[in-house]
Amino acid sequence: SLITVSSFVDTYLNTLNTNDLEYFNIDAIQPEKVKSFEAGYRTTLFNSLYLDASYYYSIYDDFLGYNLGIDAEFGGTTNLPTVIQAFRYAANSSEQVNTQGFAIGLNYYFKDYFQVSGNYSWNRLNSDVDDPIIPAFNTPEHKFNLGFSGRSIPVGRGLFGFNVNYKWIEGFLFEGSPQFTGLIPTYDLVDVQVNYFVKKMNTTFKLGASNILDNQQFQAYGG
């Protein structure tokens, strides 16, 4: 006996007529069930290019998410609420939910010491538009990495190595609790690391930094 948010906000608050309120019930939680199909391919091309690609398609029954509802009591002839509380309940989707995605990665090796790499991933959740469930998928649809690295490069009396990695993440809707639901803007990051192996000491020294350009961003709404 929860009131739908849409009937309370869009209708009742304009008419103050409790007959305009729509009520619904949430069934007891059932275990989420998933059937998944995956396919992948790995190979080396031209003795220098490594390819790794994969695709998945998952079918969920009783997909777990959240429903919003309002519990309220109304008094007297005013039809104004005397008690009102919004709730966010865990619930199973009434519809079948599908997720799919693919990823592809390429590594190119050259000049004995160097590597250029890149990977891209795509992930999407498909749910029925009439299903009121909040899926809280919280996953960017598109993201990619680009990297350039070197290892075991003879320098002086040791071996030098480095790695520069660029990450790009598309903005997405983060669905947390009602007050922590909002858009995560698109952001990118650059990570850098250098290392030097001293043969005589049999020791490696490393220096690295994440987000070296200090690109301010957040990965969870409200975080």
Side-chain angles (χ1 to χ4, degrees):
S1 296
L2 293 172
I3 301 168
T4 64
V5 175
S6 59
S7 70
F8 186 88
V9 174
D10 299 334
T11 307
Y12 165 76
L13 290 183
N14 293 318
T15 65
L16 296 183
N17 185 351
T18 55
N19 292 326
D20 293 330
L21 295 172
E22 297 178 5
Y23 289 82
F24 71 101
N25 296 315
I26 299 177
D27 294 332
I29 286 290
Q30 300 297 319
E32 184 179 76
K33 296 173 283 293
V34 59
K35 297 181 285 290
S36 187
F37 168 82
E38 299 180 25
Y41 182 70
R42 294 176 180 171
T43 189
T44 301
L45 304 172
F46 317 113
N47 295 321
S48 299
L49 181 64
Y50 177 73
L51 168 68
D52 186 354
S54 61
Y55 170 82
Y56 73 90
Y57 188 88
S58 298
I59 302 170
Y60 289 85
D61 291 307
D62 294 319
F63 183 86
L64 284 170
Y66 300 94
N67 276 338
L68 297 180
I70 295 173
D71 186 20
E73 296 178 8
F74 302 87
T77 59
T78 64
N79 279 344
L80 294 175
T82 56
V83 177
I84 181 171
Q85 177 66 56
F87 289 96
R88 179 179 185 261
Y89 281 98
N92 296 110
S93 174
S94 59
E95 305 289 340
Q96 192 174 78
V97 173
N98 303 320
T99 63
Q100 61 176 326
F102 73 86
I104 183 169
L106 293 168
N107 295 325
Y108 177 66
Y109 303 89
F110 63 100
K111 299 294 184 181
D112 296 330
Y113 306 113
F114 302 102
Q115 172 189 350
V116 176
S117 61
N119 62 70
Y120 166 80
S121 66
W122 174 75
N123 297 277
R124 174 176 288 180
L125 178 142
N126 307 311
S127 60
D128 193 288
V129 295
D130 295 327
D131 193 339
I133 198 169
I134 299 172
F137 190 52
N138 296 344
T139 302
E141 185 170 355
H142 305 280
K143 61 181 179 179
F144 69 85
N145 294 345
L146 295 173
F148 177 52
S149 62
R151 58 179 298 176
S152 302
I153 305 169
V155 175
R157 298 190 177 186
L159 301 175
F160 174 73
F162 68 91
N163 183 48
V164 180
N165 191 51
Y166 173 78
K167 304 176 184 178
W168 182 89
I169 298 91
E170 183 184 40
F172 62 97
L173 179 64
F174 184 93
E175 295 175 317
S177 58
Q179 65 270 38
F180 294 125
T181 293
L183 182 65
I184 302 294
T186 297
Y187 64 94
D188 53 5
L189 304 170
V190 177
D191 301 332
V192 176
Q193 182 257 323
V194 295
N195 60 80
Y196 189 73
F197 175 71
V198 181
K199 296 180 181 179
K200 187 175 181 180
M201 300 173 60
N202 194 29
T203 302
T204 300
F205 297 90
K206 292 183 179 182
L207 178 65
S210 299
N211 192 16
I212 195 169
L213 300 180
D214 195 27
N215 184 5
Q216 300 296 309
Q217 43 76 30
F218 56 94
Q219 300 173 12
Y221 192 82

